[in-house]
Amino acid sequence: MPAVVHELIPIDMLRVNESARIAEVHGPQPLVQRLEELGLREGTVIRLVKTGEPLLLAVNGHRLSFRADSSTMIFVEPISVEQARSS
Amino acid sequence: MSVTDPTSTATRPLTVALIGNPNTGKSTLFNALTGGKARIGNFPGVTVEKKTGKFQHDGRDVLLVDLPGTYSLAPRSADEMVSVDVLLGRQQEIGKPDAVVCIVDASNLERNLYLFSQIRDLRIPVVLVLNMWDIAQSRGIQIDLDQLRERTQAVIVTTSAAKRVGIEDVRTAIIAATGAEAFTPVKLFPESFYREADSLGEWLTEQGLGEVPFYLRERMLLDVHGETEHRVSLKANDDLSHYLKEARARLASEGCRIPLVETKARYDWIRTLLDGVIERTSPEEQQTGSDRIDRILTHRVWGLLFFALLMFVVFQAIYTWAGPFMEMVEWLQQLITDAVQAVIAPGTLRSLVVDGIIAGVGSVVIFLPQIVLLFLFIAIMEDCGYMARAAFLMDKLMTRIGLSGKSFLPLMSSFACAIPGVMATRVIENRRDRMVTMLIAPLMSCSARLPVYLLMVAAFIPGTTWLGGWIGLQGMVLFGMQAMGALVAIPVAWLLKKTLFPGETPPFVMELPPYKWPSVRIVFQRVYDQAKAFLVRAGTLIFCVTVLIWAAGYFPADHTRLHANQAEQEQVEATLAEEETSERLEELEAEARILSANAIRESFLGRAGMVVEPAVKPLGWDWRIGVGAIASFPAREVIIATMGTIFSLGGDVDEEDASLMQTLRTATWPDGTPLFTIPVALSIMVFFALCAQCGATLMVIRRETNSWRWPIFTFVYMTLLAYLGALVVYQVGTRLMT
């Protein structure tokens, strides 16, 4: 098995049912703070429930809908190697 | 834990604040603790609802203050500041709370404890309520309560508030907590932060800004451009901002980055706190029932289709189900009119009571059944969790016009009433978005427009039905009218976003709570409150306008001949058997019609109407409709009452059926042609769909924007739209019909 490459991807690049750990949250400070309060912060494991705009995430057993703008970006690190992105 | 000193405090009622994240069952717990009896008011100076209730336990009186649901105690607005002020005892009216009850969702402790960790910093005794305990257990979440108690040093109670389980424990815990020592908060932040907070305190005293509580000084440092900073800055000009900027720079150089440090420190604390306390036996990845429902209801095609269908059914149902109830109200109104006519002789007083009060107020009250149904549907959709899905679906469409799904909830509640809708725009963080949403909210078809549509539709739209009576033309016109405001709002919002409030589409983040069966109690409560507000308005504002309109329509004409005529009519009627007529009676009736028509034309109202008529004639209206529209400036539904009064005074009332609907059907122009045609009815409906005839909404916009500019802007643009819309509909409609 090849060595696992830790790759950071924007959250909207995840596939349905893929889990990932949030690595970086960029954006205007008040928004980042709100996201963190809602659980979208570094280290949280999330699962993508539904792709699209906005996307649907499972965070700690709860459902969050999220759509970023050009100044906001969440980078995640996919967890399951088997489900690595095909594209 | 026990009550330490029962003698000194036993007589004083305890003040306890209730706080928690949204969707944790806070209102349910509040109602369970207080038995549902709440006093609703406003906190002075801000528009946050103040909800308090009382209960007794162990011989102590407890005053429970419900604070707005929030994810954190970092105040970003004056409204969020209220909760902090209450908890710090800075709200004069309430005083310092003896304890605070922090309610959390037991199945989501990781996130909910964030608020709890901030409350701990306030140095007030805390009762931590782990609510939805039953749901957490059914999801296989095991929580070691003893460990948690030991680590937090807090009083912890588990409840299932929706099932009324554990409520008594909460009461006992509150009493116990108020007597306990408030624990000293654990220092979560680096030492340098606390040093900075201390020197900030010294600096503030030096500047003569007085003693600022420790928690607020922490907030000033942590919240960049937050409300605490803003509030003190009002007194200290820009000095404070400069000072804070430098202080934050100093902290950053020591590795304490503001404001990142707060979320990090608090979540780290929570993680260590819960380490080994929570065990999940069923894996997180499991698909829940809500997920399965969501697969359809949030689907880009099926979801939208379902939404449209649901809206259609709602408006069809409002129209068909309310019928029998409306007939009851009508019957009651007739009963009262007959009773009054039997008691009071024809004259000014009878005219005031029958033509003014009963015809005016009655014509509005008749719509209560429909309004109750509309609010019932909205309350159910909100309580079962569907509203959040609708916002999710709508985000896609909202982004096209530069808004986000956040704007959906305020706009949807504007379908009931624009006032709570405008206030609900506070959840929108982006100022430009909030302004645009606020300015288009009054375009949504509120319940006050419903009476206008219902009256016009019932009187003038043919009752054609298809598919065995399931789909009717009347219901479809009603649905179209309800949808029109929203459709017009799209280009308006787009224009506003392009011109006055340019900016990018803001990001969107929102929680979708799990689906649940709506609670009968909560739904009933909401419907009851709204129905009451509607009736109170009918009894006060509409009553007053009605009497004024009646007076303006009655004076200064001479009514002696008319009253003599009415008295003779009744005499003749008394001598006749049922179903029998006489020539004299018919003569009298014809004379009465001419007399009353002349009287109202000579009245103040009639004279004013003549002035207005040229302006409203292109809309297909006569002076009576024109005067009604102008008089309905305070509230849209007044148009019904004023038309009821004007047409009743004008003698257009049919003897068999005194209802306004019949009256309107028989109303004519002076030359005898029918006044109301389908294009006229449509033009009235379109006018009221788009106009800003609601003083209360305009006042709320003023309050929320703190400027007269925006309510005036709203009024002008909506009135222009309404006039043009009505003009086009009437002119085009008339040409198509002939």
Side-chain angles (χ1 to χ4, degrees), chain A residues 26-52:
Chain A
H26 298 280
Q29 212 32 250
L31 177 75
V32 170
Q33 214 169 341
R34 176 124 297 177
L35 291 176
E36 291 185 339
E37 282 165 16
L38 283 163
L40 291 180
R41 67 195 152 78
E42 230 182 276
T44 311
V45 174
I46 53 114
R47 182 170 57 85
L48 191 81
V49 177
K50 196 176 171 59
T51 50

PDB file of all heavy atoms in Angstrom, chain A residues 26-52:
ATOM      1  N   HIS A  26     -10.348  29.681   6.548  1.00  0.00           N
ATOM      2  CA  HIS A  26      -9.947  31.041   6.189  1.00  0.00           C
ATOM      3  C   HIS A  26     -11.171  31.884   5.915  1.00  0.00           C
ATOM      4  O   HIS A  26     -12.144  31.392   5.367  1.00  0.00           O
ATOM      5  CB  HIS A  26      -9.091  31.035   4.913  1.00  0.00           C
ATOM      6  CG  HIS A  26      -7.828  30.278   5.082  1.00  0.00           C
ATOM      7  ND1 HIS A  26      -6.734  30.805   5.692  1.00  0.00           N
ATOM      8  CD2 HIS A  26      -7.491  29.013   4.719  1.00  0.00           C
ATOM      9  CE1 HIS A  26      -5.761  29.903   5.700  1.00  0.00           C
ATOM     10  NE2 HIS A  26      -6.203  28.793   5.122  1.00  0.00           N
ATOM     11  N   GLY A  27     -11.066  33.154   6.242  1.00  0.00           N
ATOM     12  CA  GLY A  27     -12.182  34.041   5.925  1.00  0.00           C
ATOM     13  C   GLY A  27     -12.187  35.237   6.843  1.00  0.00           C
ATOM     14  O   GLY A  27     -11.329  35.357   7.713  1.00  0.00           O
ATOM     15  N   PRO A  28     -13.182  36.121   6.646  1.00  0.00           N
ATOM     16  CA  PRO A  28     -13.278  37.280   7.532  1.00  0.00           C
ATOM     17  C   PRO A  28     -13.511  36.818   8.966  1.00  0.00           C
ATOM     18  O   PRO A  28     -14.256  35.849   9.200  1.00  0.00           O
ATOM     19  CB  PRO A  28     -14.483  38.056   6.994  1.00  0.00           C
ATOM     20  CG  PRO A  28     -15.064  37.278   5.885  1.00  0.00           C
ATOM     21  CD  PRO A  28     -14.228  36.087   5.620  1.00  0.00           C
ATOM     22  N   GLN A  29     -12.875  37.497   9.895  1.00  0.00           N
ATOM     23  CA  GLN A  29     -12.843  37.032  11.271  1.00  0.00           C
ATOM     24  C   GLN A  29     -14.210  36.755  11.892  1.00  0.00           C
ATOM     25  O   GLN A  29     -14.410  35.683  12.458  1.00  0.00           O
ATOM     26  CB  GLN A  29     -12.055  38.035  12.129  1.00  0.00           C
ATOM     27  CG  GLN A  29     -11.321  37.402  13.278  1.00  0.00           C
ATOM     28  CD  GLN A  29     -10.841  35.992  13.017  1.00  0.00           C
ATOM     29  OE1 GLN A  29     -11.360  35.044  13.595  1.00  0.00           O
ATOM     30  NE2 GLN A  29      -9.865  35.822  12.131  1.00  0.00           N
ATOM     31  N   PRO A  30     -15.181  37.658  11.771  1.00  0.00           N
ATOM     32  CA  PRO A  30     -16.464  37.374  12.419  1.00  0.00           C
ATOM     33  C   PRO A  30     -17.108  36.092  11.901  1.00  0.00           C
ATOM     34  O   PRO A  30     -17.687  35.322  12.663  1.00  0.00           O
ATOM     35  CB  PRO A  30     -17.334  38.586  12.048  1.00  0.00           C
ATOM     36  CG  PRO A  30     -16.388  39.643  11.637  1.00  0.00           C
ATOM     37  CD  PRO A  30     -15.182  38.957  11.091  1.00  0.00           C
ATOM     38  N   LEU A  31     -16.948  35.841  10.606  1.00  0.00           N
ATOM     39  CA  LEU A  31     -17.556  34.644  10.025  1.00  0.00           C
ATOM     40  C   LEU A  31     -16.843  33.398  10.523  1.00  0.00           C
ATOM     41  O   LEU A  31     -17.474  32.406  10.894  1.00  0.00           O
ATOM     42  CB  LEU A  31     -17.522  34.697   8.504  1.00  0.00           C
ATOM     43  CG  LEU A  31     -18.089  33.437   7.874  1.00  0.00           C
ATOM     44  CD1 LEU A  31     -19.604  33.429   7.973  1.00  0.00           C
ATOM     45  CD2 LEU A  31     -17.663  33.283   6.440  1.00  0.00           C
ATOM     46  N   VAL A  32     -15.506  33.454  10.530  1.00  0.00           N
ATOM     47  CA  VAL A  32     -14.739  32.304  11.002  1.00  0.00           C
ATOM     48  C   VAL A  32     -15.163  31.964  12.428  1.00  0.00           C
ATOM     49  O   VAL A  32     -15.359  30.800  12.775  1.00  0.00           O
ATOM     50  CB  VAL A  32     -13.227  32.597  10.928  1.00  0.00           C
ATOM     51  CG1 VAL A  32     -12.439  31.513  11.641  1.00  0.00           C
ATOM     52  CG2 VAL A  32     -12.788  32.713   9.481  1.00  0.00           C
ATOM     53  N   GLN A  33     -15.364  33.009  13.224  1.00  0.00           N
ATOM     54  CA  GLN A  33     -15.774  32.786  14.602  1.00  0.00           C
ATOM     55  C   GLN A  33     -17.143  32.099  14.661  1.00  0.00           C
ATOM     56  O   GLN A  33     -17.338  31.165  15.424  1.00  0.00           O
ATOM     57  CB  GLN A  33     -15.850  34.131  15.311  1.00  0.00           C
ATOM     58  CG  GLN A  33     -15.471  34.055  16.764  1.00  0.00           C
ATOM     59  CD  GLN A  33     -15.303  35.445  17.334  1.00  0.00           C
ATOM     60  OE1 GLN A  33     -15.120  36.415  16.594  1.00  0.00           O
ATOM     61  NE2 GLN A  33     -15.377  35.547  18.638  1.00  0.00           N
ATOM     62  N   ARG A  34     -18.049  32.567  13.833  1.00  0.00           N
ATOM     63  CA  ARG A  34     -19.391  31.958  13.812  1.00  0.00           C
ATOM     64  C   ARG A  34     -19.297  30.496  13.372  1.00  0.00           C
ATOM     65  O   ARG A  34     -19.922  29.615  13.955  1.00  0.00           O
ATOM     66  CB  ARG A  34     -20.307  32.738  12.868  1.00  0.00           C
ATOM     67  CG  ARG A  34     -21.660  32.135  12.717  1.00  0.00           C
ATOM     68  CD  ARG A  34     -22.799  33.060  13.047  1.00  0.00           C
ATOM     69  NE  ARG A  34     -22.817  33.513  14.427  1.00  0.00           N
ATOM     70  CZ  ARG A  34     -23.697  34.384  14.915  1.00  0.00           C
ATOM     71  NH1 ARG A  34     -24.587  34.890  14.141  1.00  0.00           N
ATOM     72  NH2 ARG A  34     -23.667  34.751  16.177  1.00  0.00           N
ATOM     73  N   LEU A  35     -18.475  30.239  12.351  1.00  0.00           N
ATOM     74  CA  LEU A  35     -18.302  28.868  11.877  1.00  0.00           C
ATOM     75  C   LEU A  35     -17.749  27.991  12.993  1.00  0.00           C
ATOM     76  O   LEU A  35     -18.176  26.855  13.181  1.00  0.00           O
ATOM     77  CB  LEU A  35     -17.347  28.841  10.677  1.00  0.00           C
ATOM     78  CG  LEU A  35     -17.868  29.460   9.385  1.00  0.00           C
ATOM     79  CD1 LEU A  35     -16.787  29.444   8.317  1.00  0.00           C
ATOM     80  CD2 LEU A  35     -19.097  28.718   8.898  1.00  0.00           C
ATOM     81  N   GLU A  36     -16.803  28.562  13.740  1.00  0.00           N
ATOM     82  CA  GLU A  36     -16.194  27.766  14.808  1.00  0.00           C
ATOM     83  C   GLU A  36     -17.200  27.479  15.904  1.00  0.00           C
ATOM     84  O   GLU A  36     -17.226  26.387  16.460  1.00  0.00           O
ATOM     85  CB  GLU A  36     -14.957  28.486  15.349  1.00  0.00           C
ATOM     86  CG  GLU A  36     -13.848  28.500  14.306  1.00  0.00           C
ATOM     87  CD  GLU A  36     -12.551  29.093  14.817  1.00  0.00           C
ATOM     88  OE1 GLU A  36     -12.594  29.836  15.806  1.00  0.00           O
ATOM     89  OE2 GLU A  36     -11.509  28.798  14.198  1.00  0.00           O
ATOM     90  N   GLU A  37     -18.055  28.449  16.174  1.00  0.00           N
ATOM     91  CA  GLU A  37     -19.085  28.217  17.184  1.00  0.00           C
ATOM     92  C   GLU A  37     -20.035  27.115  16.744  1.00  0.00           C
ATOM     93  O   GLU A  37     -20.538  26.358  17.561  1.00  0.00           O
ATOM     94  CB  GLU A  37     -19.886  29.502  17.428  1.00  0.00           C
ATOM     95  CG  GLU A  37     -19.179  30.506  18.283  1.00  0.00           C
ATOM     96  CD  GLU A  37     -19.811  31.881  18.212  1.00  0.00           C
ATOM     97  OE1 GLU A  37     -20.965  31.983  17.749  1.00  0.00           O
ATOM     98  OE2 GLU A  37     -19.140  32.833  18.606  1.00  0.00           O
ATOM     99  N   LEU A  38     -20.264  27.040  15.449  1.00  0.00           N
ATOM    100  CA  LEU A  38     -21.164  26.012  14.929  1.00  0.00           C
ATOM    101  C   LEU A  38     -20.452  24.674  14.764  1.00  0.00           C
ATOM    102  O   LEU A  38     -21.046  23.718  14.316  1.00  0.00           O
ATOM    103  CB  LEU A  38     -21.757  26.458  13.591  1.00  0.00           C
ATOM    104  CG  LEU A  38     -22.891  27.485  13.693  1.00  0.00           C
ATOM    105  CD1 LEU A  38     -23.134  28.162  12.376  1.00  0.00           C
ATOM    106  CD2 LEU A  38     -24.166  26.825  14.189  1.00  0.00           C
ATOM    107  N   GLY A  39     -19.190  24.633  15.083  1.00  0.00           N
ATOM    108  CA  GLY A  39     -18.464  23.370  15.065  1.00  0.00           C
ATOM    109  C   GLY A  39     -17.532  23.205  13.881  1.00  0.00           C
ATOM    110  O   GLY A  39     -16.811  22.220  13.792  1.00  0.00           O
ATOM    111  N   LEU A  40     -17.565  24.130  12.931  1.00  0.00           N
ATOM    112  CA  LEU A  40     -16.668  24.021  11.776  1.00  0.00           C
ATOM    113  C   LEU A  40     -15.336  24.673  12.132  1.00  0.00           C
ATOM    114  O   LEU A  40     -15.122  25.851  11.895  1.00  0.00           O
ATOM    115  CB  LEU A  40     -17.279  24.710  10.554  1.00  0.00           C
ATOM    116  CG  LEU A  40     -18.510  24.035   9.964  1.00  0.00           C
ATOM    117  CD1 LEU A  40     -19.014  24.804   8.773  1.00  0.00           C
ATOM    118  CD2 LEU A  40     -18.170  22.603   9.555  1.00  0.00           C
ATOM    119  N   ARG A  41     -14.463  23.887  12.752  1.00  0.00           N
ATOM    120  CA  ARG A  41     -13.177  24.444  13.168  1.00  0.00           C
ATOM    121  C   ARG A  41     -12.110  23.379  13.000  1.00  0.00           C
ATOM    122  O   ARG A  41     -12.427  22.200  12.797  1.00  0.00           O
ATOM    123  CB  ARG A  41     -13.260  24.899  14.611  1.00  0.00           C
ATOM    124  CG  ARG A  41     -13.434  23.742  15.533  1.00  0.00           C
ATOM    125  CD  ARG A  41     -13.867  24.134  16.903  1.00  0.00           C
ATOM    126  NE  ARG A  41     -14.606  23.029  17.471  1.00  0.00           N
ATOM    127  CZ  ARG A  41     -14.017  21.939  17.969  1.00  0.00           C
ATOM    128  NH1 ARG A  41     -12.707  21.822  17.991  1.00  0.00           N
ATOM    129  NH2 ARG A  41     -14.742  20.941  18.430  1.00  0.00           N
ATOM    130  N   GLU A  42     -10.897  23.838  13.105  1.00  0.00           N
ATOM    131  CA  GLU A  42      -9.755  22.952  12.937  1.00  0.00           C
ATOM    132  C   GLU A  42      -9.895  21.696  13.784  1.00  0.00           C
ATOM    133  O   GLU A  42     -10.183  21.776  14.975  1.00  0.00           O
ATOM    134  CB  GLU A  42      -8.519  23.719  13.402  1.00  0.00           C
ATOM    135  CG  GLU A  42      -7.389  23.691  12.425  1.00  0.00           C
ATOM    136  CD  GLU A  42      -6.224  24.451  13.022  1.00  0.00           C
ATOM    137  OE1 GLU A  42      -6.229  25.680  12.874  1.00  0.00           O
ATOM    138  OE2 GLU A  42      -5.367  23.812  13.640  1.00  0.00           O
ATOM    139  N   GLY A  43      -9.700  20.559  13.170  1.00  0.00           N
ATOM    140  CA  GLY A  43      -9.684  19.310  13.934  1.00  0.00           C
ATOM    141  C   GLY A  43     -11.016  18.570  13.936  1.00  0.00           C
ATOM    142  O   GLY A  43     -11.060  17.383  14.228  1.00  0.00           O
ATOM    143  N   THR A  44     -12.114  19.246  13.623  1.00  0.00           N
ATOM    144  CA  THR A  44     -13.415  18.578  13.628  1.00  0.00           C
ATOM    145  C   THR A  44     -13.503  17.594  12.462  1.00  0.00           C
ATOM    146  O   THR A  44     -13.082  17.908  11.352  1.00  0.00           O
ATOM    147  CB  THR A  44     -14.555  19.590  13.473  1.00  0.00           C
ATOM    148  OG1 THR A  44     -14.348  20.629  14.400  1.00  0.00           O
ATOM    149  CG2 THR A  44     -15.900  18.941  13.712  1.00  0.00           C
ATOM    150  N   VAL A  45     -14.060  16.431  12.733  1.00  0.00           N
ATOM    151  CA  VAL A  45     -14.278  15.481  11.652  1.00  0.00           C
ATOM    152  C   VAL A  45     -15.692  15.698  11.113  1.00  0.00           C
ATOM    153  O   VAL A  45     -16.658  15.720  11.871  1.00  0.00           O
ATOM    154  CB  VAL A  45     -14.121  14.036  12.149  1.00  0.00           C
ATOM    155  CG1 VAL A  45     -14.492  13.053  11.050  1.00  0.00           C
ATOM    156  CG2 VAL A  45     -12.686  13.818  12.598  1.00  0.00           C
ATOM    157  N   ILE A  46     -15.769  15.886   9.818  1.00  0.00           N
ATOM    158  CA  ILE A  46     -17.078  16.115   9.210  1.00  0.00           C
ATOM    159  C   ILE A  46     -17.327  15.048   8.147  1.00  0.00           C
ATOM    160  O   ILE A  46     -16.410  14.351   7.728  1.00  0.00           O
ATOM    161  CB  ILE A  46     -17.171  17.517   8.565  1.00  0.00           C
ATOM    162  CG1 ILE A  46     -15.995  17.730   7.596  1.00  0.00           C
ATOM    163  CG2 ILE A  46     -17.156  18.612   9.589  1.00  0.00           C
ATOM    164  CD1 ILE A  46     -16.396  17.852   6.192  1.00  0.00           C
ATOM    165  N   ARG A  47     -18.570  14.921   7.763  1.00  0.00           N
ATOM    166  CA  ARG A  47     -18.907  14.013   6.673  1.00  0.00           C
ATOM    167  C   ARG A  47     -19.806  14.766   5.708  1.00  0.00           C
ATOM    168  O   ARG A  47     -20.711  15.488   6.131  1.00  0.00           O
ATOM    169  CB  ARG A  47     -19.640  12.787   7.216  1.00  0.00           C
ATOM    170  CG  ARG A  47     -19.998  11.751   6.159  1.00  0.00           C
ATOM    171  CD  ARG A  47     -20.497  10.480   6.823  1.00  0.00           C
ATOM    172  NE  ARG A  47     -21.639  10.727   7.692  1.00  0.00           N
ATOM    173  CZ  ARG A  47     -22.905  10.768   7.269  1.00  0.00           C
ATOM    174  NH1 ARG A  47     -23.181  10.546   6.000  1.00  0.00           N
ATOM    175  NH2 ARG A  47     -23.889  11.001   8.106  1.00  0.00           N
ATOM    176  N   LEU A  48     -19.532  14.621   4.435  1.00  0.00           N
ATOM    177  CA  LEU A  48     -20.341  15.314   3.450  1.00  0.00           C
ATOM    178  C   LEU A  48     -21.619  14.520   3.191  1.00  0.00           C
ATOM    179  O   LEU A  48     -21.564  13.369   2.797  1.00  0.00           O
ATOM    180  CB  LEU A  48     -19.565  15.505   2.147  1.00  0.00           C
ATOM    181  CG  LEU A  48     -20.264  16.448   1.176  1.00  0.00           C
ATOM    182  CD1 LEU A  48     -19.990  17.885   1.560  1.00  0.00           C
ATOM    183  CD2 LEU A  48     -19.840  16.191  -0.242  1.00  0.00           C
ATOM    184  N   VAL A  49     -22.761  15.137   3.443  1.00  0.00           N
ATOM    185  CA  VAL A  49     -24.036  14.447   3.253  1.00  0.00           C
ATOM    186  C   VAL A  49     -24.561  14.700   1.845  1.00  0.00           C
ATOM    187  O   VAL A  49     -25.158  13.839   1.222  1.00  0.00           O
ATOM    188  CB  VAL A  49     -25.061  14.918   4.297  1.00  0.00           C
ATOM    189  CG1 VAL A  49     -26.413  14.266   4.065  1.00  0.00           C
ATOM    190  CG2 VAL A  49     -24.559  14.605   5.694  1.00  0.00           C
ATOM    191  N   LYS A  50     -24.317  15.899   1.349  1.00  0.00           N
ATOM    192  CA  LYS A  50     -24.915  16.278   0.075  1.00  0.00           C
ATOM    193  C   LYS A  50     -24.027  17.327  -0.575  1.00  0.00           C
ATOM    194  O   LYS A  50     -23.614  18.270   0.077  1.00  0.00           O
ATOM    195  CB  LYS A  50     -26.294  16.866   0.367  1.00  0.00           C
ATOM    196  CG  LYS A  50     -27.201  16.970  -0.808  1.00  0.00           C
ATOM    197  CD  LYS A  50     -28.543  17.465  -0.299  1.00  0.00           C
ATOM    198  CE  LYS A  50     -29.447  17.812  -1.433  1.00  0.00           C
ATOM    199  NZ  LYS A  50     -29.728  16.700  -2.340  1.00  0.00           N
ATOM    200  N   THR A  51     -23.745  17.131  -1.841  1.00  0.00           N
ATOM    201  CA  THR A  51     -22.924  18.117  -2.536  1.00  0.00           C
ATOM    202  C   THR A  51     -23.826  19.215  -3.101  1.00  0.00           C
ATOM    203  O   THR A  51     -25.039  19.094  -3.109  1.00  0.00           O
ATOM    204  CB  THR A  51     -22.164  17.480  -3.714  1.00  0.00           C
ATOM    205  OG1 THR A  51     -23.101  16.748  -4.482  1.00  0.00           O
ATOM    206  CG2 THR A  51     -21.051  16.598  -3.250  1.00  0.00           C
ATOM    207  N   GLY A  52     -23.209  20.254  -3.614  1.00  0.00           N
ATOM    208  CA  GLY A  52     -23.978  21.330  -4.235  1.00  0.00           C
ATOM    209  C   GLY A  52     -23.801  22.626  -3.486  1.00  0.00           C
ATOM    210  O   GLY A  52     -22.935  22.750  -2.626  1.00  0.00           O
TER     211      GLY A  52
END
